[in-house]
Amino acid sequence: MLLNPKGFAVIGASSEKEKVGHIVFKNLLESKVKAYPVNPNTSKVLRQKCYGSVIELKNKVSHAVIAVPAKIVPQVVEECGAAGVKTVIVISAGFSEVGNNKLEEEVKEIVNNHDMRLLGPNVLGVIVPGVFNASFFEGEIKSGGVSFISQSGALGVGVLDSLVNSEWGLRSFISIGNAADINITDALKESLSDKKTSCVIVYAESLQKGKAFMEACSESDKPVFILKAGTSSAGKRAASTHTGSLAGSDEIYSAAFNQCGARRVGSLKSLINAGMIYDQQGFLGEKALIITNAGGPGILVTDALEKAGIKVPKLPSKLVKLLNKKLRGVAWSGNNPVDVVGDARADRYLKVFKAVSKYSFYDEVIVLLTPQAMTEPLKTAKGLVRFNKRVKKPLIACFIGGPSIKEAVSFLEEKGVMVFQELSDLTSVFRFLV
Amino acid sequence: MLLNPKGFAVIGASSEKEKVGHIVFKNLLESKVKAYPVNPNTSKVLRQKCYGSVIELKNKVSHAVIAVPAKIVPQVVEECGAAGVKTVIVISAGFSEVGNNKLEEEVKEIVNNHDMRLLGPNVLGVIVPGVFNASFFEGEIKSGGVSFISQSGALGVGVLDSLVNSEWGLRSFISIGNAADINITDALKESLSDKKTSCVIVYAESLQKGKAFMEACSESDKPVFILKAGTSSAGKRAASTHTGSLAGSDEIYSAAFNQCGARRVGSLKSLINAGMIYDQQGFLGEKALIITNAGGPGILVTDALEKAGIKVPKLPSKLVKLLNKKLRGVAWSGNNPVDVVGDARADRYLKVFKAVSKYSFYDEVIVLLTPQAMTEPLKTAKGLVRFNKRVKKPLIACFIGGPSIKEAVSFLEEKGVMVFQELSDLTSVFRFLV
């Protein structure tokens, strides 16, 4: 429907750099899926032969991205039907979101008549990083396992932009917009059945086909993390202006999500972080080992883990003995969290990594570091990369700080270690990962 | 006691660059308060004449920072007493935190005998940005109105490091450590009575003198934001290892904080953000105006505001008419949040800024932006700076994204506009600011 296109027509492709139709075609030209510009008023776009109508591309494209003025969308969609297009992605705005319901109904009817599917209108588009970018978002995102469905294109842009230059990737991004046909539930189903999707993160203002949404969540092994906006009365009013649909009672949503196993998060950041941690590390088991050079952060993480139902078990006495020997003369905590204390250089972390590697009393490891006088962030990071390979369990690091830990954090990210710079990023998501 | 020293002796000052005594003296040499190195084994430190004993500095210094091996701390503190020092800051570790309670008691007794005060042992030190840095933290922090008290020095370092290169500043930082004498409550009282402190943020694992803490909070007009760690049983166990003191029941703490008006936050990030917003913007009033180019974020902010008891009132009908005129042809939301929609260039924001300036139905403004195809982040930021000066009400901006909004965010920060890059930074703190 959306994730496996066999060729795109970009209707409204343009040579004017600022136009949405130009950006979409440029993005698709750099994609692995063939794309053809369609515009009766120009002969070439970005040196590619431009077609006067999508009908000239009959059976050559499965998908059409439409970026033309709203009033000519029906005509263009009609032509898509005649050309054998399966799915139209209508980026154009000016439909139900501005009260123009009639025009939207008209488009929907044409789509139905031709047995096509419609994403939009009023969407940012669809992106499968590394494969195609059928949207007017211009940045480049790495490929990953998280599929992101956003009812709000504008919110989607904010998230996508924050992922540019990051090692975190997405399997797909789908902007839902007015949802005249394909809605969140449809996109969710396609994402969940997509083999390369490990989990789905959803930003929703309202949910059509609520029962189908719940069924999709229940039936899938893959976790669905959802941020549901419009929890307050004023928020609902704003949501109704924004999407034209009425947001239901918040308690009903919460109960429904609980019942079907959808994981409702409380903030945009938790939505992203929970998805990314799951994709890279999977769910967290019931026992965590914490290694830190800072007592305070160790306690805050312990609190958050226990609140999420994850234990921070005492260390086996044999391991305590081993660590007492390895860390002779060090006033380490003697327990879990393993606090190697503030004056620890990298070697102390490395000794602990080595010692705990032989034990299996824990299901995941949290490694914390703050940059104190003797701390060696980069050297510690290098040891952590090796430990991460060896330990074969979920491992999440948090190097807390700014300039002093920047290089180490970049190194960890490059080497595929899940690392945060703010403790709150971790402590706020544990409960969604059990 | 801590914030207004008249000269420092740095006992244990050293020429070896890696030693804590070197770093502390270097930091103090760059401060506005006179500092003297003390070390019997060297004649000069950083080209400054080095004294053999603090006694040679009799009545020249009010404060002594001590960074010598634990076992000679008592002798050195005794000399401080003889030299007329008022306050000793003992950075040295190796006391009650490693079970060496006897040595700590000994130091405490000497301090009492000489009518001195003692910060520590086992502390990072004290910093008053722009005035002095009596700690071994090496970065430079800007001056601001927030006083930060941290029971954990290591956590303090993480926060301080994240403020380096930031426009956000602190009035003071006090590391509490083992609290043999000066504890959180003492530091809180001094901070609250300090004229340049607008509010206090506290990281606490346990609270001695709980009643005095509550009284200090009750009696002050200045807000106290507190992150209390050790809420879980394992967290309490870890806290007891870390500070040697037992953390009390979490419910009792919450009830006590409520009663005395201390604002208990749930994460390190909320602690910092709440303090910084209060310092720069004050408390939020009961009615908020939201201006956005993205519906979704507008709804999420509305939800969070309403949850905090802040209304997002409907726009006066006169203003709606005015905006309809100014934004002719734009499918704006017609209400609050004022959604200028995704294709807004800077001019549309600027028109709204101008129009709402004449109205007083709101107590604060939240300005949101995501970088969409037509968005002009920097130009919008420039207009926002002017609006910020004109509006004379709390104003908080959130430009959501990464590279596309980086320049605009830096510009806003430089010009003193309170700006975030992550929606969750805002939505998580509203409730602490009413």
Side-chain angles (χ1 to χ4, degrees):
Chain A
M1 188 168 75
L2 291 170
L3 302 182
N4 296 295
K6 316 265 177 278
F8 281 102
V10 181
I11 306 176
S14 160
S15 296
E16 290 170 53
K17 283 187 180 171
E18 286 207 334
K19 288 220 165 167
V20 166
H22 177 87
I23 301 169
V24 174
F25 183 65
K26 190 167 121 292
N27 284 338
L28 277 171
L29 202 57
E30 292 161 3
S31 297
K32 287 182 180 156
V33 180
K34 182 80 185 147
Y36 306 88
V38 176
N39 186 337
N41 305 318
T42 183
S43 60
K44 288 207 168 185
V45 178
L46 289 167
R47 299 184 189 172
Q48 307 299 306
K49 184 197 165 188
C50 189
Y51 296 80
S53 160
V54 67
I55 296 179
E56 297 171 39
L57 295 166
K58 192 159 185 174
N59 298 329
K60 273 190 166 171
V61 295
S62 61
H63 286 56
V65 186
I66 298 174
V68 300
K71 60 175 189 253
I72 62 167
V73 168
Q75 176 204 329
V76 160
V77 172
E78 186 70 59
E79 290 173 11
C80 286
V85 168
K86 303 291 176 212
T87 302
V88 291
I89 298 170
V90 180
I91 286 178
S92 320
F95 294 86
S96 67
E97 84 282 5
V98 297
N100 209 341
N101 297 53
K102 216 185 128 203
L103 192 64
E104 192 162 306
E105 280 302 319
E106 195 183 329
V107 173
K108 207 169 150 180
E109 212 183 302
I110 300 167
V111 164
N112 286 342
N113 289 344
H114 288 281
D115 231 1
M116 295 189 288
R117 296 304 302 264
L118 159 68
L119 182 69
N122 187 26
V123 296
L124 182 64
V126 179
I127 307 175
V128 177
V131 185
F132 69 87
N133 178 355
S135 82
F136 58 94
F137 174 74
E138 293 188 77
E140 204 165 318
I141 310 280
K142 289 203 170 58
S143 177
V146 178
S147 280
F148 176 25
I149 299 168
S150 179
Q151 188 158 1
S152 163
L155 179 138
V157 171
V159 172
L160 294 175
D161 196 54
S162 71
L163 291 175
V164 172
N165 298 339
S166 143
E167 295 294 326
W168 288 2
L170 291 176
R171 163 57 180 161
S172 66
F173 167 76
I174 301 173
S175 157
I176 295 296
N178 293 5
D181 174 27
I182 297 173
N183 58 29
I184 291 176
T185 302
D186 299 324
L188 177 69
K189 281 181 172 176
E190 177 161 15
S191 299
L192 286 172
S193 64
D194 167 60
K195 278 186 186 153
K196 291 187 176 163
T197 294
S198 68
C199 66
V200 184
I201 60 176
V202 181
Y203 168 76
E205 288 162 13
S206 59
L207 280 177
Q208 301 92 344
K209 301 193 198 168
K211 201 162 163 256
F213 179 92
M214 287 175 67
E215 277 169 12
C217 292
S218 299
E219 284 165 12
S220 176
D221 290 340
K222 298 174 184 174
V224 176
F225 303 96
I226 184 162
L227 176 61
K228 169 70 182 64
T231 58
S232 65
S233 57
K236 269 174 217 155
R237 191 189 69 212
S240 113
T241 318
H242 184 220
T243 67
S245 68
L246 213 65
S249 147
D250 194 55
E251 291 71 28
I252 293 176
Y253 275 114
S254 272
F257 292 147
N258 266 336
Q259 203 185 318
C260 69
R263 291 151 194 268
R264 182 177 194 172
V265 302
S267 76
L268 188 54
K269 198 161 194 195
S270 292
L271 183 70
I272 312 303
N273 288 346
M276 291 297 167
I277 293 178
Y278 178 80
D279 182 40
Q280 293 175 39
Q281 306 289 325
F283 284 128
L284 301 179
E286 58 187 14
K287 285 170 286 178
L289 169 65
I290 304 171
I291 303 168
T292 182
N293 72 343
I299 299 167
L300 290 171
V301 167
T302 301
D303 285 345
L305 285 167
E306 292 244 325
K307 212 171 169 184
I310 299 170
K311 291 194 180 66
V312 181
K314 292 187 182 177
L315 300 182
S317 57
K318 260 193 161 175
L319 177 58
V320 174
K321 272 182 204 156
L322 178 64
L323 286 173
N324 278 336
K325 208 173 118 190
K326 298 247 183 200
L327 303 176
R328 195 182 303 278
V330 176
W332 75 288
S333 59
N335 217 325
N336 185 11
V338 177
D339 183 353
V340 294
V341 299
D343 60 348
R345 294 178 188 275
D347 69 305
R348 229 181 267 171
Y349 273 99
L350 270 53
K351 282 174 187 165
V352 175
F353 294 159
K354 200 176 167 193
V356 301
S357 292
K358 299 163 193 158
Y359 287 81
S360 59
F361 66 92
Y362 56 94
D363 301 311
E364 59 264 335
V365 193
I366 315 287
V367 178
L368 309 174
L369 177 146
T370 72
Q372 300 173 67
M374 303 297 143
T375 313
E376 298 171 320
L378 187 60
K379 214 169 157 188
T380 308
K382 285 178 180 169
L384 185 52
V385 168
R386 292 191 297 272
F387 178 51
N388 187 42
K389 279 181 193 148
R390 213 162 52 221
V391 73
K392 292 187 175 57
K393 292 178 181 186
L395 186 150
I396 308 174
C398 187
F399 280 29
I400 306 163
S404 299
I405 46 98
K406 212 177 162 185
E407 193 186 1
V409 167
S410 299
F411 179 81
L412 289 172
E413 284 172 346
E414 270 166 38
K415 299 294 180 184
V417 175
M418 188 95 221
V419 62
F420 295 91
Q421 259 177 275
E422 284 179 16
L423 205 57
S424 321
D425 288 347
L426 266 81
T427 54
S428 59
V429 295
F430 290 139
R431 62 199 167 106
F432 308 119
L433 292 165
V434 288
Chain B
M1 188 168 74
L2 291 171
L3 302 181
N4 295 295
K6 315 266 176 276
F8 281 101
V10 181
I11 306 176
S14 161
S15 296
E16 289 170 53
K17 283 188 181 171
E18 286 207 334
K19 289 220 165 164
V20 165
H22 177 87
I23 300 169
V24 173
F25 183 65
K26 190 167 122 289
N27 284 338
L28 277 172
L29 202 56
E30 291 161 3
S31 297
K32 287 182 180 156
V33 180
K34 183 80 184 147
Y36 306 88
V38 176
N39 187 337
N41 306 318
T42 183
S43 60
K44 287 207 168 185
V45 178
L46 289 167
R47 299 185 188 171
Q48 307 298 305
K49 184 197 166 188
C50 189
Y51 296 81
S53 161
V54 66
I55 296 179
E56 297 171 38
L57 295 166
K58 191 159 185 174
N59 298 328
K60 271 189 166 171
V61 296
S62 62
H63 286 56
V65 185
I66 298 174
V68 300
K71 60 175 188 251
I72 61 166
V73 168
Q75 176 203 329
V76 159
V77 172
E78 186 70 59
E79 290 173 10
C80 286
V85 168
K86 303 291 176 212
T87 302
V88 292
I89 299 170
V90 180
I91 286 179
S92 320
F95 294 86
S96 67
E97 85 282 4
V98 296
N100 209 342
N101 296 53
K102 215 185 129 204
L103 192 64
E104 193 163 306
E105 280 302 320
E106 195 183 328
V107 173
K108 208 170 148 180
E109 212 182 302
I110 300 167
V111 164
N112 286 342
N113 289 344
H114 288 281
D115 231 2
M116 296 190 288
R117 297 302 304 262
L118 159 68
L119 183 69
N122 187 26
V123 296
L124 182 64
V126 179
I127 307 174
V128 177
V131 185
F132 69 86
N133 178 356
S135 82
F136 59 94
F137 174 74
E138 293 188 77
E140 205 165 318
I141 310 280
K142 288 204 171 57
S143 177
V146 177
S147 280
F148 175 26
I149 299 167
S150 179
Q151 188 159 0
S152 162
L155 180 138
V157 171
V159 172
L160 294 175
D161 196 54
S162 72
L163 291 175
V164 172
N165 298 339
S166 144
E167 295 293 325
W168 288 2
L170 292 176
R171 164 57 181 162
S172 66
F173 167 76
I174 301 173
S175 158
I176 295 296
N178 293 5
D181 173 28
I182 297 173
N183 58 29
I184 292 177
T185 302
D186 299 323
L188 177 69
K189 281 182 173 176
E190 177 161 14
S191 299
L192 286 172
S193 64
D194 167 59
K195 278 187 186 152
K196 291 187 176 164
T197 294
S198 69
C199 66
V200 184
I201 60 176
V202 180
Y203 168 75
E205 288 161 14
S206 59
L207 279 177
Q208 301 92 343
K209 301 192 198 168
K211 201 161 163 258
F213 179 91
M214 287 175 67
E215 277 169 12
C217 292
S218 298
E219 283 165 12
S220 176
D221 291 340
K222 298 174 184 174
V224 176
F225 303 95
I226 183 162
L227 176 62
K228 170 69 182 64
T231 58
S232 65
S233 57
K236 268 174 218 156
R237 191 189 68 212
S240 113
T241 319
H242 184 221
T243 67
S245 68
L246 213 65
S249 148
D250 195 55
E251 292 71 28
I252 292 176
Y253 275 114
S254 272
F257 293 147
N258 266 336
Q259 204 185 317
C260 70
R263 292 152 193 269
R264 181 177 195 172
V265 303
S267 76
L268 188 55
K269 198 161 194 196
S270 292
L271 183 70
I272 312 302
N273 288 346
M276 292 297 167
I277 294 178
Y278 177 80
D279 182 40
Q280 293 175 38
Q281 306 289 324
F283 284 129
L284 301 179
E286 58 186 14
K287 284 171 286 177
L289 170 65
I290 303 171
I291 303 168
T292 182
N293 71 343
I299 299 166
L300 290 172
V301 168
T302 301
D303 285 345
L305 285 167
E306 292 243 325
K307 212 171 168 185
I310 299 170
K311 290 194 179 66
V312 182
K314 292 186 183 177
L315 300 181
S317 56
K318 260 193 161 175
L319 176 58
V320 174
K321 272 182 204 156
L322 178 64
L323 286 173
N324 278 336
K325 209 173 119 189
K326 298 247 182 199
L327 303 176
R328 196 182 302 279
V330 176
W332 75 288
S333 59
N335 217 325
N336 185 11
V338 177
D339 183 354
V340 294
V341 299
D343 60 348
R345 293 178 188 275
D347 69 305
R348 229 181 267 171
Y349 272 98
L350 270 53
K351 282 174 187 164
V352 175
F353 294 159
K354 200 176 167 193
V356 301
S357 293
K358 298 163 194 159
Y359 287 81
S360 59
F361 65 93
Y362 56 93
D363 301 311
E364 60 264 336
V365 193
I366 316 287
V367 178
L368 309 174
L369 176 146
T370 71
Q372 300 173 67
M374 304 297 143
T375 312
E376 298 171 320
L378 187 59
K379 215 169 157 187
T380 307
K382 285 178 179 170
L384 185 51
V385 168
R386 292 191 297 273
F387 178 51
N388 187 41
K389 279 181 192 148
R390 214 162 52 221
V391 73
K392 293 187 174 57
K393 291 177 181 186
L395 186 150
I396 308 174
C398 187
F399 280 28
I400 306 163
S404 299
I405 46 99
K406 211 177 162 186
E407 193 186 2
V409 167
S410 299
F411 180 81
L412 289 171
E413 284 173 345
E414 271 167 38
K415 299 293 180 184
V417 175
M418 188 95 221
V419 62
F420 295 91
Q421 259 177 275
E422 284 178 16
L423 205 56
S424 321
D425 287 346
L426 266 81
T427 54
S428 58
V429 294
F430 290 138
R431 63 200 166 106
F432 308 119
L433 291 164
V434 288

